[in-house]
Amino acid sequence: KVLAGATPTPYPRFQSAAAALPYTEDGLRAICAKAMARDIVNRYMAAATLAEAIRQWLANAGARERAIELVRRADTLDPDMVALRKRVATLRADAASVLGSLPADAPADQKRAGWAREDQAADIEQELVRKQVRYANYLQAALAGVPDLPEAQGRLEALAEAAGASLGQGPLGAA
């Protein structure tokens, strides 16, 4: 029955665990399928070749795990960046409210409160840019280990959009 039947599929527990793992099992499934191929010409020709395929899969899985850890580190910075963006927006709105209610020729003493809020917003923007650079560095390091890591790619794209929207400039606050 084994010789005449279809190639067995991986054990269901192995399949269901994929969601819990930080890397995909597709490569290991392909190795198993090749090792169990019915036709001998489709199998590994030597145990050493099979062992090397498994070693390579393990190395790639380890690289993915390290890359995912870098993404997690980047994620720890996200709440701070959100709070800083909100704080900058609030300060800019307050400054605009104070300065907008004054005539253009109002004395400097009356404008100081608005200017102070603008200065605070600028200082916080600098802190935000520093955090964004750290965030991007973590994600780029993850991509250096696993170039097609969707978690890092998506976050970098979102960062570029958020940075441009909140600062009115290009990615990471650069003009």
Side-chain angles (χ1 to χ4, degrees):
K1 183 176 178 182
V2 169
L3 290 175
T7 303
T9 57
Y11 187 62
R13 184 174 51 98
F14 180 73
Q15 290 177 340
S16 66
L21 295 174
Y23 54 90
T24 60
E25 299 168 341
D26 294 341
L28 185 58
R29 289 176 198 273
I31 292 168
C32 291
K34 184 172 180 173
M36 296 186 314
R38 296 208 186 283
D39 191 349
I40 195 167
V41 297
N42 294 330
R43 291 186 219 145
Y44 291 99
M45 292 295 121
T49 309
L50 171 60
E52 181 55 34
I54 293 170
R55 260 192 298 280
Q56 184 63 43
W57 180 82
L58 288 170
N60 289 342
R64 185 167 175 84
E65 287 175 13
R66 289 185 296 277
I68 291 294
E69 177 55 32
L70 289 167
V71 171
R72 285 187 191 120
R73 286 184 193 175
D75 286 346
T76 64
L77 298 172
D78 194 50
D80 289 342
M81 292 188 309
V82 169
L84 290 171
R85 281 187 198 104
K86 287 179 182 177
R87 184 73 179 133
V88 166
T90 300
L91 286 167
R92 292 252 183 245
D94 289 350
S97 175
V98 168
L99 295 173
S101 67
L102 298 173
D105 61 349
D109 289 345
Q110 292 178 359
K111 295 180 180 181
R112 282 198 206 320
W115 292 339
R117 286 184 179 90
E118 285 180 340
D119 290 345
Q120 285 178 307
D123 290 344
I124 292 171
E125 274 183 339
Q126 290 304 311
E127 183 180 349
L128 174 59
V129 168
R130 286 189 294 273
K131 287 213 186 263
Q132 289 173 327
V133 167
R134 282 184 50 212
Y135 182 83
N137 286 342
Y138 279 131
L139 297 174
Q140 289 166 347
L143 288 172
V146 180
D148 60 345
L149 188 68
E151 296 89 343
Q153 291 171 337
R155 283 169 176 79
L156 277 173
E157 289 168 7
L159 173 64
E161 290 173 15
S166 70
L167 300 177
Q169 300 171 347
L172 302 181

